[in-house]
Amino acid sequence: MMNTRTPTPGMVRLTHLIYALHAFAVFSALLGSATIILSFVASLPSLAAIVLNYWNRGAVRDTWLDSHFSWQIRTFWWTLAWIVIATVLVFTLIGIPFALAAFVIVSAWVVYRVVRGWWRLADGQPMPEKTD
């Protein structure tokens, strides 16, 4: 990725807002009855965040913020994919322990991705290439 443009301060603030929406979804899951990963992909804050990612992606193209948008979008879709896989595993008796393990591991991974991404954004750094 080539960072040829400087992002506007408004786009930096928007990227902070998107991380805040994802973090709020995770935090509300910790306080409520939902799981982290279900809250991350199915709660209103995270759905608003992913819509904002896609809606504003063109505005951050060719800036270092593009790496954060890719990071956020990939986190959302990989989490959703693992929810589908874990749900399929639940339908088999032998798969239930694997599904529960997947929910725990992916939940920790989501927390890591939100914290790491937001931290690098606060430092004005792009996300590394090809890290999932």
Side-chain angles (χ1 to χ4, degrees):
M1 165 181 28
M2 182 171 282
N3 299 324
T4 57
R5 296 186 312 125
T6 301
T8 65
M11 284 294 108
V12 174
R13 283 190 301 275
L14 176 67
T15 310
H16 278 289
L17 173 65
I18 292 169
Y19 277 117
L21 289 168
H22 284 309
F24 180 76
V26 168
F27 185 70
S28 64
L30 290 172
L31 295 179
S33 61
T35 63
I36 289 174
I37 60 175
L38 288 176
S39 181
F40 185 78
V41 298
S43 70
L44 189 56
S46 278
L47 292 174
I50 197 70
V51 167
L52 286 170
N53 275 133
Y54 280 110
W55 189 269
N56 293 286
R57 191 142 196 212
V60 298
R61 187 80 60 212
D62 297 328
T63 72
W64 61 272
L65 288 180
D66 193 25
S67 66
H68 284 276
F69 274 57
S70 294
W71 178 266
Q72 294 163 337
I73 290 168
R74 282 193 319 266
T75 303
F76 180 87
W77 289 113
W78 276 108
T79 303
L80 184 60
W82 276 106
I83 288 172
V84 170
I85 291 167
T87 301
V88 169
L89 287 173
V90 165
F91 289 113
T92 66
L93 185 58
I94 197 159
I96 292 173
F98 296 108
L100 293 174
F103 273 113
V104 170
I105 291 166
V106 174
S107 293
W109 179 77
V110 165
V111 170
Y112 160 77
R113 300 265 302 186
V114 170
V115 169
R116 181 172 185 220
W118 207 356
W119 192 336
R120 287 185 66 91
L121 176 65
D123 287 342
Q125 298 177 349
M127 296 308 298
E129 294 288 322
K130 305 290 183 191
T131 57
D132 277 337

